[in-house]
Amino acid sequence: MLKNKVKRPLSLRAKRSNLIRDCFVASLLAMTLTASSAQASRYGGSLVLSVPSDPKTFNDIVSTDAYSAATTALMFEGLTTADPFTLKVIPHLAESWDTSPDGLQWTFHLRRGVQWFDGVPLTADDVVFTFNDLIYNPDIPSSSKDVLTVNGKPLKVEKIDDYTVRFTLPVKFAPFLRSMAQSILPKHCLSRAVKDKKFSFSWGIDTPVDKIVGTGPFMLSDYHPGERLVFKRNPHYWKKSKAGEALPYLDKIIYLIIPDGQANLLKFIDGELDSTSVAGSDYPLLKPLERKKNFHIYEAGADYDSSFVVFNQNPGVNPRTQKPFVDPVKLAWFTNPQFRRAVAHAIDKPKIIEILNNGFGQPQTGPMSPSSGFFYNPHVKVYDYDLNEARRILKKAGFQYRQGRLQDFQGHPVEFNFYTSDTGAAGRMQMAAIIHADLEALGMKVNMVTVEFNTLVNKLMASYDWDMVMIGLTGGVEPHFGQNVWKSSGGLHLWDPAQKQPATDWEKRIDAIYDAGAQELDENKRKALYDEFQQIVADELPVIYTVLGMDMFAVRNKFGNLKPTVNGGAFHNIEEIYITRHPERSEGSLKEQP
């Protein structure tokens, strides 16, 4: 029989034990609430950046300019991507892949649950469509076609089932996995445009923003030409944080369109921008403001992106006017390698680095940056600044001086137009002014012409109406991805694009190097090939390089998960970045934009 228990008073030891227990439970509860609150606080807010020019298109297949690429990178993704720290290829839209023993067949297994912006699932049909109907479509101009054509043949791409795609290569292709970072586009949105032969004009800058459909972390929500682009969080994004949280954290990314570099800098100082590239010339101004304005300058390393001058060597005839694209007299100068070598000696790279870059940077001697690592060739021909040597080369090539002005051997005065863009990219207008002064010192009559960036691209890629241009190209670690520039048939072979046959022996040799390099699986043998390619470019100077800047960027001290690298920049992991809720207060803090 049970007895009633007598309730006794607690001992001091028991009271202490209960107190410790209660404190532990309370502490644990507080920690849980704090962690939960911290996670919840990661969502929301905007990142405000800038771009010097409007995009030319939102169509990632036909895009050729860096400013279009900057915007499409937020919206479109590939089967693979590169780890920004190790540069190794890692899965992206494909979660895994298998390869045959001979390396010619690659089978990709797509992630399930990936959705397009409109909620439609991504499937193998979209991958097959992107390659077979878009990239390899002869009616669609695409730089990707150059990169993904191996030994003159396309890759065979076929659907195995809804989430499995097989690629069959005509020959071994060393950069294949890295090339699978190619953006995938939605078949259900674009197949009609392909059938109607209107794809090349699809997703232009006049397209309603809700019609542009990708799988990336952000989707275009607003575009005001000449003012800004606004991207909003993709609610269907497939990627999760390590803790299983839905990504991305940010609500918006805003690109302000600011053509003037000085205006861009002032807007950053005033707090209207969250980050800006830092030119060496701006470093003395910005560095002392780091604490006061609550930002940090990251020095990543030598820039990948090149800046160069190039002469028009296109021998073609304008089909509309039946006149040569280039005056035959000028064409004779521009196609003369001695003329180009003389110009190379007239570019004062130390002066550009000292005056425009405040000592940051280094002369660029070839088509790859030291940051490219393994494939960079540091032993190419160098053209030191030497006007006397430039004059000697010109005289030896048959040019002559009369009353201080340079003439060719037929007595034609050397005069041409020098185009550059009005963007603030890397102080390009100031750099062009320095080069202009030295070419004038050589006795040339050089007419400076500044145009809007997209106008300049149109001259280079469509009308071919130009003499000399200063512009730049993006770079990277894999030489093969420059094939659309360096192969004679390439659409970005700027000085003489889309040649049916190589115009020179050295261009023929570069074609052969790129064909061999694509198939060579021995990395050391590949390096030997691409070392030779870089030497040929330095010898023949189809483009004449200027300087490489230091890749530096200033970022507000208000972002979590920021992991800058020279390979990915400040925001390579944009989906993981969030705004901290307790940043140090600073002057000019950003007011969130609508």
Side-chain angles (χ1 to χ4, degrees), residues 66 179 182 194 278 437 478 574:
S179 71
Q182 165 66 48
V194 174
V278 179
E478 170 54 60
I574 189 67

Side-chain angles (χ1 to χ4, degrees), residues 143-207:
S143 295
S144 298
K145 188 187 283 97
D146 297 326
V147 173
L148 292 165
T149 298
V150 186
N151 206 24
K153 299 176 182 178
L155 312 180
K156 181 181 178 182
V157 188
E158 54 188 333
K159 173 183 175 180
I160 304 303
D161 59 42
D162 283 348
Y163 292 95
T164 310
V165 181
R166 178 178 295 149
F167 289 76
T168 303
L169 284 55
V171 294
K172 291 180 180 179
F173 183 38
F176 172 71
L177 268 184
R178 201 173 294 277
S179 71
M180 289 298 99
Q182 165 66 48
S183 295
I184 304 301
L185 271 61
K187 178 179 180 179
H188 69 283
C189 294
L190 295 166
S191 58
R192 171 57 65 181
V194 174
K195 188 176 295 184
D196 294 342
K197 297 187 180 299
K198 295 180 180 179
F199 175 81
S200 297
F201 309 101
S202 299
W203 288 3
I205 58 174
D206 57 346
T207 302

Side-chain angles (χ1 to χ4, degrees), residues 99-398:
T99 183
S100 61
D102 61 5
L104 296 182
Q105 280 196 342
W106 294 77
T107 304
F108 287 84
H109 307 283
L110 304 185
R111 294 184 188 276
R112 296 173 184 264
V114 178
Q115 297 181 37
W116 296 100
F117 293 162
D118 56 10
V120 175
L122 170 106
T123 69
D125 290 325
D126 299 304
V127 179
V128 173
F129 170 76
T130 297
F131 285 89
N132 292 345
D133 295 74
L134 302 182
I135 293 172
Y136 293 127
N137 189 327
D139 296 326
I140 296 173
S142 170
S143 295
S144 298
K145 188 187 283 97
D146 297 326
V147 173
L148 292 165
T149 298
V150 186
N151 206 24
K153 299 176 182 178
L155 312 180
K156 181 181 178 182
V157 188
E158 54 188 333
K159 173 183 175 180
I160 304 303
D161 59 42
D162 283 348
Y163 292 95
T164 310
V165 181
R166 178 178 295 149
F167 289 76
T168 303
L169 284 55
V171 294
K172 291 180 180 179
F173 183 38
F176 172 71
L177 268 184
R178 201 173 294 277
S179 71
M180 289 298 99
Q182 165 66 48
S183 295
I184 304 301
L185 271 61
K187 178 179 180 179
H188 69 283
C189 294
L190 295 166
S191 58
R192 171 57 65 181
V194 174
K195 188 176 295 184
D196 294 342
K197 297 187 180 299
K198 295 180 180 179
F199 175 81
S200 297
F201 309 101
S202 299
W203 288 3
I205 58 174
D206 57 346
T207 302
V209 294
D210 61 341
K211 299 298 182 184
I212 300 166
V213 178
T215 60
F218 292 91
M219 48 207 299
L220 187 63
S221 63
D222 199 8
Y223 173 44
H224 295 273
E227 295 181 15
R228 69 181 184 273
L229 299 106
V230 181
F231 296 83
K232 66 181 180 180
R233 181 179 185 272
N234 173 11
H236 301 296
Y237 194 50
W238 57 271
K239 199 171 184 180
K240 308 294 182 186
S241 72
K242 290 182 179 179
E245 300 164 343
L247 297 175
Y249 291 122
L250 293 171
D251 280 342
K252 294 180 184 176
I253 296 178
I254 300 167
Y255 277 102
L256 302 183
I257 299 167
I258 309 173
D260 181 73
Q262 194 61 29
N264 185 85
L265 181 65
L266 293 174
K267 284 182 180 294
F268 175 75
I269 293 173
D270 289 343
E272 295 181 49
L273 296 174
D274 287 322
S275 180
T276 186
S277 295
V278 179
S281 57
D282 299 326
Y283 188 87
L285 171 63
L286 284 176
K287 189 63 178 177
L289 297 176
E290 277 185 315
R291 185 175 181 83
K292 181 181 180 181
K293 295 290 185 177
N294 194 32
F295 64 84
H296 181 72
I297 297 177
Y298 297 88
E299 301 175 27
D303 203 343
Y304 278 111
D305 299 344
S306 61
S307 184
F308 54 81
V309 296
V310 56
F311 289 100
N312 192 345
Q313 300 181 51
N314 190 333
V317 174
N318 188 321
R320 291 186 296 103
T321 64
Q322 296 304 310
K323 293 182 179 180
F325 288 121
V326 185
D327 182 328
V329 171
K330 295 179 181 179
L331 186 64
W333 311 334
F334 300 160
T335 55
N336 185 337
Q338 297 299 339
F339 178 85
R340 301 195 298 273
R341 288 167 190 149
V343 170
H345 278 295
I347 296 180
D348 193 344
K349 297 178 184 180
K351 183 177 182 180
I352 292 170
I353 293 170
E354 184 61 33
I355 294 179
L356 298 186
N357 293 2
N358 199 49
F360 289 96
Q362 62 188 76
Q364 185 171 8
T365 56
M368 299 196 73
S369 165
S371 293
S372 301
F374 180 72
F375 287 115
Y376 171 66
N377 181 3
H379 306 297
V380 301
K381 184 176 178 59
V382 175
Y383 298 85
D384 294 323
Y385 174 66
D386 189 337
L387 292 182
N388 289 330
E389 177 65 9
R391 294 186 185 97
R392 187 193 68 79
I393 292 172
L394 288 168
K395 289 177 181 178
K396 186 176 180 180

Side-chain angles (χ1 to χ4, degrees), residues 509-547:
R509 177 55 187 158
I510 289 179
D511 286 357
I513 287 172
Y514 267 84
D515 286 341
Q519 299 175 47
E520 180 56 68
L521 301 184
D522 185 306
E523 287 288 83
N524 291 320
K525 292 180 179 179
R526 286 193 82 213
K527 176 171 174 54
L529 287 166
Y530 292 121
D531 278 356
E532 182 189 352
F533 146 69
Q534 291 169 73
Q535 184 63 65
I536 292 172
V537 172
D539 289 342
E540 300 296 339
L541 296 174
V543 302
I544 303 170
Y545 289 103
T546 58
V547 302

Side-chain angles (χ1 to χ4, degrees), residues 31-45 233 241 243-251 576-582:
M31 289 172 62
T32 303
L33 291 173
T34 301
S36 176
S37 175
Q39 289 178 358
S41 71
R42 290 188 173 190
Y43 290 97
R233 181 179 185 272
S241 72
E245 300 164 343
L247 297 175
Y249 291 122
L250 293 171
D251 280 342
E576 298 176 325
I577 290 171
Y578 61 91
I579 295 177
T580 57
R581 296 305 175 187
H582 46 82

